[in-house]
Amino acid sequence: TWGAPATDGPKGILGGATGRVSEQDAQGAALSDCRAKGGNCKIEATYYNHCVALVTGDKVFNTKIAATVEEAAQLGMAMCTSEDANCRVFYSACSAPVFHPY
């Protein structure tokens, strides 16, 4: 399945979607969730059968995709701490595969 985070970075607003059947569905749901919170939002990433972590520091944020939340968070933290301070995982989620029996 597909997932996506959407943000309004200056306002610190985040929306997310997981478990969606298409990339467009995930993006639309994430944007709707973010905009419903009052943001002027944009998609940060889309992912398929993977996990995402959005890591933020004092000045910057980044989004990493990996097989697990832990791996995505480690990648994001490594990037953040190399250029910023007070880094933390702001959002993480996974969109798991759905198996259909035949």
Side-chain angles (χ1 to χ4, degrees):
T1 61
W2 288 89
T7 65
D8 180 332
K11 291 182 181 176
I13 297 172
L14 172 84
T18 61
R20 300 302 176 134
V21 297
S22 71
E23 182 177 19
Q24 295 78 18
D25 183 28
Q27 290 175 345
L31 285 170
S32 292
D33 183 34
C34 185
R35 289 175 181 153
K37 298 170 185 170
N40 182 15
C41 306
K42 70 173 190 161
I43 296 294
E44 293 300 329
T46 55
Y47 53 97
Y48 179 73
N49 295 347
H50 274 75
C51 301
V52 67
L54 190 142
V55 175
T56 185
D58 287 341
K59 297 178 249 176
V60 299
F61 69 92
N62 69 72
T63 306
K64 296 295 179 189
I65 298 168
T68 66
V69 166
E70 293 80 13
E71 185 181 354
Q74 287 175 350
L75 293 169
M77 288 295 289
M79 177 178 257
C80 183
T81 58
S82 73
E83 56 189 77
D84 205 349
N86 297 313
C87 298
R88 66 184 177 95
V89 176
F90 184 69
Y91 172 82
S92 63
C94 294
S95 224
V98 174
F99 296 100
H100 298 282
Y102 293 100

